[in-house]
Every structure is written in C-alpha cells, then in structure tokens.
Amino acid sequence: MARFLTVRIGLLLVSLVGASLLVFTVLAVLPGSPAQVILGTQATPASVRQLTIQLGLDKPLWQQYLQWVGGLASARLGSSYISHQPIGAQLVQALQVTGPLVLLSLVVGVVVAVPAGMVGALRHGRLAGTVIGVLSQIGVAIPTFVGGIVLIILVAVKAHLLPSGGFPGWAEPGQSLRSLVLPAITLGLVEGAILTRYIRTAVMEVLASDYLRTARAKGLSLGKAMRRHGLRNVLPPIVTVLGLEFAGLIIGAIVVENVFTLPGIGTLLLSAVQNRDLIVVEDIVMLVSGVVMLVNLLVDLSYRFLDPRMVRRT
Amino acid sequence: MSVQTTDPTPVPVPPPSVVVVTAQASLFRRWLHSPSAVAGAVVVGVVVAAAVVSLFWTPYPPLAVHPSDALRGASAAHLLGTDQYGRDVLSRVMSGARISLYAGVVSVLVAAVVGVPAGLVAAQRGGVAQQAVLRLADILYGFPALLAAITLSAALGASTTTAMLAIGIAYIPVFTRVTRSNALVVLGSEYVLAARSYGRRPFAILRRHVLPNIAPTIVIQMTLLFSLAILAEAGLGYLGLGTPPPAASWGNMLQEAQNYLGQDPVLSIWPGAAIFLTVLGFSLLGEGLNDMLDPRVRR
C-alpha cells in the first residue's frame, strides 16, 4: 500500500509539472507581447518596454516559469495583468458560486441516478427498465448548454418560476439558492444520466453473479441478498464513476456558469481568455486541472479501499 | 476476430472466404435487428445529406442579412424562421452541419494519426518506449479537454482550427490505449510468431498483421469519439472559442439565439436540436457497431 501511494503521488506530481509546462509553453509562444495587448495599439514602444520589465516578461522563459510555479505552490497567485486585482481574492469570490453549484449538482445527479440505475437493472427488459434505458441514452446526448437553454425557456421565460440567470451574491441565501436551482438541475441531470447507465450495468452484473444466486438459493430475499452480498460489489465501480463525475461536474460548471451568467470560476476563466489576461488563464487552468487530477487519485485510492481484491492483485 | 492476411507465404491461413461472406451477411442482419443502430444510421444519414447538399444549395445564402425580416417565426418562405439579422435559419443549420462534421472528422483524424502509431510503437517495442508513451498518455488524459481547448484558444485566438486541434489532442490518449492493448493481443498470436520466424521486420508485421486486425476496433472508437468531438466543437462554439461569427456553426448560433430567448425562444431550439440529434445518432451508431463486432457482447 505504501509503495502504491508513493507511486501514485509521484505520478500526480509528474502530471502536474507536465501540465504546467504544457500550459506555460502554449501561452509563452503566443505571438505578440502581453504588454502590447494590455496597453493597446496606441501605446508607445517605451511604455510597452517598461511594462514588459514590470511584469517580469523580459526574463528568460525558465525564470518566468519557475517564478510562476513557485507562486502557485506558495499560494501567491499574483495579480491580473488587466484589472490589477489580486487573483487569489477573485478566485475566492468565484469559488463561492462554483463550489455550491458543483455540490448541488452532485446531489441532484446522485438522487436521480441511484434509484434510476437500480430500477433500470431490476426491471431490465420490462417497461420501467426500457424507459430508463432510453431516457438515460437521451440524457447522455444532451449537451449541458442545450439542456440549460431548454430549461430557461420552460421554467424562466414561459412559467416565470425561477430566474433565468445571474447571481445576487450570498447576502440573501434564499435568493442565491433560487438562482442556483436551474443550473444545478441542468448539470446534475446530464451527469446523472451517465451515472445511471453505470449504476445499471454494475447492478445487472451483480444480479447475474453466482454468489447472488447462491445467496438466494439458501433462502435470502432479494433485498437481503443485495444488502449482504450485492452492495459491496456494486460500490467500487460506482465510486469510480462518482469521482469521474465530480471531475466532470467541475468542468461542466465552466459551461453551465456561462449559460446562466453566474460569476464563478468558469466565467472568470472565459473573460480572462477574451481579455487575454494570460496570468489569470494560467492560474485557473492549473488550479482546475490540479483539482481534477487530485480527485482522480482519491478515486483510485478509495477503489482499493473498497475492493480488497485490488490490493492482492498488485 | 477474423484474421485478414494477404501474405503469399505459407502462414496458417484462417477461414476460407465463403465463411467470411456469410459472416458479413449475418453482421448486416444483426445490424437490421438492432433498432438503435438503425435509428442512429438514419439520423447520421440525414445530417451527412444536409451537409453535402449545403455545399452547393441552401434555401437562402446562410450569410444573407435582411433586417426587415428579423426574428420571423416559421413560414412557407422560411421553414425554420429567421434569426435576429433576418438570416434564414434552415440554411444556417444546414451549413452548420458541414462545420460540425468537418470539425468532427478532422479532430478524430488528428487524434488517430498521432494516437494509433504511438500505441503501435508502445506495443511493439515494450520497455522504456512503452512506459514513456503510456505515462505521456496518462498526463494528457488527466488534463481536461475543455481546459486544453481554452488554453489553446487563449494562445491562438478562437477559430474552427483551434477547436479541432484542441479536441484532437485531447483524444490522442484514447487511441493510444485502445491501439496498444489490442495490438498486444495480435502480437502475441502464433501467426505473428511465424511471421517473425521467417524474418519479417517489426514494421512489416505491424503493417501486414497488426493493423488490419485492429482496424475494426479503431473504426468503432472513431465513431464513438466522433459524437464526442461534435459535442465538444458545439460547446466551444457556444462559449465563443470555436468558429467565430458570422459563419454559422451550431454552437455560435445557439449562443447568439440565447440573447433572444424572450422574443423568439424557438430560435434556440433548432441549433440545440441539431446538436442533440447528431450526437445521439453517432453514439447510437457507434454502440450498435460495437455490439455487432464485439464477440463478448453477442448473445
């Protein structure tokens, strides 16, 4: 186990360094100097030169890279090239929207997918099972931005039940939650559709297993057999998918925030891209991909914890 | 798995051609019996037809602006209505199909052209080369595709090319893994051992034995990834990171239409429905092909 941990954490670090090199390189080879972009076409060469030095962009690339990564590692994120606001404060602000959105979506996804997946498996080949199969197939093909717009039309524009977008801040939690409902349903349902299919497959595999047949043969009811023998075997694949879903939700939030004009991480990232505020882009991309990689590592670890067979195999 | 070998040398030659023909006939019959695969093929057919027809005919020029006809609903003159500049929506959806398919094809090809050879090399050489390829693939796989696309378009500016490149790069590791694991199976077979024993070079073995045998798997993977690539391209377009307006892509049409949800909600439905149906069509087709050709799924 210790050896496995070391290898996996080492791999995570290598991946992070690889990703940071990739991000830095792509943005460093960009044509035109950032200082020029910030100052606009009217700027004199002297002022461009001065800003370049001020931003530290005249130093060799490896020094710039080390400075950036060092800053990231010590949580000194620097300031935006454009608005001069510290990036850390902007991120904290944005996380207050993205964090709750992702968690709410996860709840929606699990609440929908666990029962739907179970019923889909238990009623496989009958009406309920087929309906769930078809619905989840459709759900997988709906992009979040299309689903979100359809929900806005139905719930916000036609029925005036919930706001179509925007976020009032957390001063009035009731209002804030109201504006997160539609985005969370959008994201949760689409991710829930994928989750449903995985749960259905996992449960069907257990239902077809020899040990469950044995348990039934010695007289346990289906419910009891599932609780005693089935659940432990259903859990590992579902935890894996949940972890992957969590990563998917973080990425999906970037899109959904854009649909509902929520001032979260995704909106911050996209406006930074449009303004070519490269340092903000670099920081957010690294932050989000770091979180995604960390979640993947945790999933791997939990898998071994939940399924002792995995440990013996390696 | 059927073995295809055109080798003139005395290698153990698998099933005679008669058997192969009946196998294919039953494949086709199996395809007809899978309603979802047929539905997928029909949808894909319609989308491809729309894209091809749009090359030389659309009801109106997709970029022609008529401010006086703006935001008209469906009518005999404009079957799907007009957008905020009075452009014909049907024409734009048709020409959007072209961009979607084009982006899908190019990004999947980018992924396959890099990923398949990398997987072949990893399987053939083993050792350090294999480890290096796999670790690189892991790093790339762990890096979210959308973030790669956002980074690329921050660097290069938003365009169809940027979007295709980003999507293609993101899918390289998928092809590398699938190719490697399938190639390893073929490389372990007796006919490859035979080929090696009479002195065929590694490259020739890959080309004559491995590639033909893993081709079906790769084609299925391409179909499945194709639907994801179309989804990704539409998403990037919607976020303003793909094909820039005024050219019509389903993603940027949806983004523009969202500003008019209050006046004309149906305007958003058309590009949205086009994306949804196309993605559904290709994934049904891909899964159908997979079930047909994967012996483990046969019941």
Side-chain angles (χ1 to χ4, degrees):
Chain A
M1 191 68 191
R3 200 186 109 79
F4 171 78
L5 256 182
T6 331
V7 170
R8 281 306 320 248
I9 291 176
L11 203 60
L12 174 75
L13 289 178
V14 171
S15 301
L16 280 175
V17 170
S20 69
L21 276 171
L22 226 79
V23 171
F24 183 80
T25 315
V26 166
L27 293 179
V29 298
L30 150 109
S33 85
Q36 182 79 60
V37 174
I38 295 165
L39 294 172
T41 45
Q42 306 288 319
T44 61
S47 60
V48 171
R49 177 99 198 99
Q50 197 197 347
L51 186 65
T52 305
I53 294 170
Q54 197 190 323
L55 293 172
L57 297 173
D58 57 329
K59 293 181 191 154
L61 281 180
W62 63 269
Q63 268 187 25
Q64 289 184 37
Y65 173 75
L66 285 183
Q67 200 179 3
W68 171 56
V69 171
L72 273 181
S74 57
R76 278 183 290 108
L77 298 177
S79 297
S80 152
Y81 286 166
I82 315 259
S83 65
H84 302 294
Q85 283 183 346
I87 297 169
Q90 283 181 295
L91 280 179
V92 169
Q93 193 81 28
L95 274 176
Q96 291 175 2
V97 180
T98 307
L101 172 61
V102 168
L103 289 181
L104 274 176
S105 314
L106 192 63
V107 171
V108 172
V110 171
V111 164
V112 170
V114 171
M118 294 271 190
V119 173
L122 291 171
R123 293 263 168 256
H124 183 68
R126 305 207 206 148
L127 182 65
T130 311
V131 168
I132 286 173
V134 170
L135 281 183
S136 64
Q137 178 85 51
I138 290 175
V140 171
I142 297 180
T144 43
F145 49 95
V146 174
I149 287 175
V150 171
L151 276 182
I152 292 179
I153 293 176
L154 293 179
V155 181
V157 176
K158 298 273 185 207
H160 301 289
L161 287 176
L162 289 164
S164 66
F167 189 76
W170 283 106
E172 274 183 81
Q175 287 299 319
S176 326
L177 279 179
R178 261 170 64 87
S179 56
L180 286 182
V181 171
L182 276 189
I185 290 180
T186 306
L187 199 48
L189 282 187
V190 172
E191 296 288 327
I194 304 172
L195 193 53
T196 303
R197 296 185 75 77
Y198 278 102
I199 293 179
R200 193 176 69 140
T201 313
V203 174
M204 270 163 63
E205 265 170 25
V206 169
L207 285 176
S209 66
D210 289 339
Y211 60 82
L212 199 84
R213 198 185 49 195
T214 308
R216 296 275 283 144
K218 61 179 199 188
L220 289 184
S221 69
L222 182 60
K224 218 167 196 172
M226 275 306 271
R227 271 196 300 281
R228 289 249 182 100
H229 304 274
L231 272 183
R232 256 189 98 80
N233 287 290
V234 175
L235 227 46
I238 291 181
V239 167
T240 311
V241 179
L242 259 185
L244 295 179
E245 287 304 281
F246 191 70
L249 285 174
I250 296 171
I251 301 302
I254 296 176
V255 179
V256 168
E257 282 170 10
N258 207 65
V259 176
F260 291 92
T261 52
L262 298 173
I265 298 282
T267 310
L268 192 62
L269 177 58
L270 285 170
S271 66
V273 169
Q274 266 141 28
N275 299 329
R276 303 204 117 184
D277 199 346
L278 294 185
I279 182 113
V280 178
V281 177
E282 285 174 349
D283 283 352
I284 296 183
V285 167
M286 275 317 293
L287 182 87
V288 176
S289 48
V291 169
V292 170
M293 288 175 193
L294 191 67
V295 169
N296 287 342
L297 173 66
L298 291 178
V299 169
D300 264 17
L301 293 182
S302 68
Y303 204 97
R304 296 171 70 88
F305 177 69
L306 290 168
D307 190 349
R309 282 171 300 186
M310 290 290 290
V311 184
R312 250 178 276 136
R313 230 175 270 155
T314 39
Chain B
M1 189 179 285
S2 73
V3 182
Q4 302 161 4
T5 164
T6 47
D7 243 327
T9 37
V11 183
V13 177
S17 57
V18 189
V19 181
V20 175
V21 170
T22 46
Q24 274 166 358
S26 87
L27 270 185
F28 184 68
R29 233 174 290 132
R30 232 181 298 150
W31 176 75
L32 279 183
H33 281 292
S34 159
S36 57
V38 174
V42 168
V43 174
V44 166
V46 170
V47 175
V48 171
V52 169
V53 169
S54 83
L55 281 173
F56 46 87
W57 181 84
T58 48
Y60 297 83
L63 301 183
V65 172
H66 298 283
S68 55
D69 287 337
L71 294 178
R72 296 272 168 82
S75 65
H78 298 279
L79 286 179
L80 303 185
T82 58
D83 70 0
Q84 70 276 18
Y85 300 119
R87 296 176 296 198
D88 181 54
V89 173
L90 178 59
S91 308
R92 290 180 70 73
V93 169
M94 284 173 70
S95 93
R98 199 171 66 220
I99 288 194
S100 261
L101 293 182
Y102 169 63
V105 167
V106 174
S107 48
V108 169
L109 281 182
V110 166
V113 161
V114 182
V116 172
L120 286 177
V121 168
Q124 168 79 50
R125 301 212 72 101
V128 182
Q130 170 162 268
Q131 283 304 316
V133 167
L134 287 182
R135 287 292 87 80
L136 267 178
D138 276 349
I139 292 178
L140 204 53
Y141 192 72
F143 194 71
L146 181 65
L147 291 181
I150 288 175
T151 312
L152 261 192
S153 61
L156 305 173
S159 70
T160 317
T161 317
T162 317
M164 291 184 311
L165 204 61
I167 300 165
I169 291 173
Y171 292 149
I172 290 174
V174 180
F175 281 105
T176 305
R177 287 177 174 186
V178 169
T179 307
R180 176 185 155 269
S181 60
N182 282 285
L184 279 179
V185 175
V186 181
L187 284 171
S189 65
E190 281 167 0
Y191 56 86
V192 166
L193 188 68
R196 209 176 286 152
S197 72
Y198 64 72
R200 242 191 218 303
R201 299 193 182 284
F203 178 76
I205 289 178
L206 285 183
R207 196 170 53 84
R208 304 194 84 141
H209 301 286
V210 179
L211 212 49
N213 274 301
I214 64 173
T217 322
I218 292 175
V219 169
I220 291 169
Q221 204 61 48
M222 288 174 98
T223 323
L224 289 172
L225 281 182
F226 194 78
S227 72
L228 291 179
I230 284 180
L231 189 63
E233 192 273 334
L236 292 176
Y238 173 76
L239 293 175
L241 302 172
T243 311
S249 84
W250 292 339
N252 73 30
M253 286 175 71
L254 194 59
Q255 184 198 31
E256 289 180 5
Q258 200 188 350
N259 297 325
Y260 301 91
L261 279 186
Q263 296 106 296
D264 192 357
V266 185
L267 190 59
S268 311
I269 298 295
W270 302 123
I275 298 167
F276 164 67
L277 284 176
T278 310
V279 172
L280 186 65
F282 273 100
S283 67
L284 286 177
L285 186 66
E287 276 173 28
L289 285 176
N290 197 17
D291 291 355
M292 243 164 50
L293 296 175
D294 185 352
R296 281 165 305 173
V297 195
R298 277 180 211 163
R299 284 178 208 106

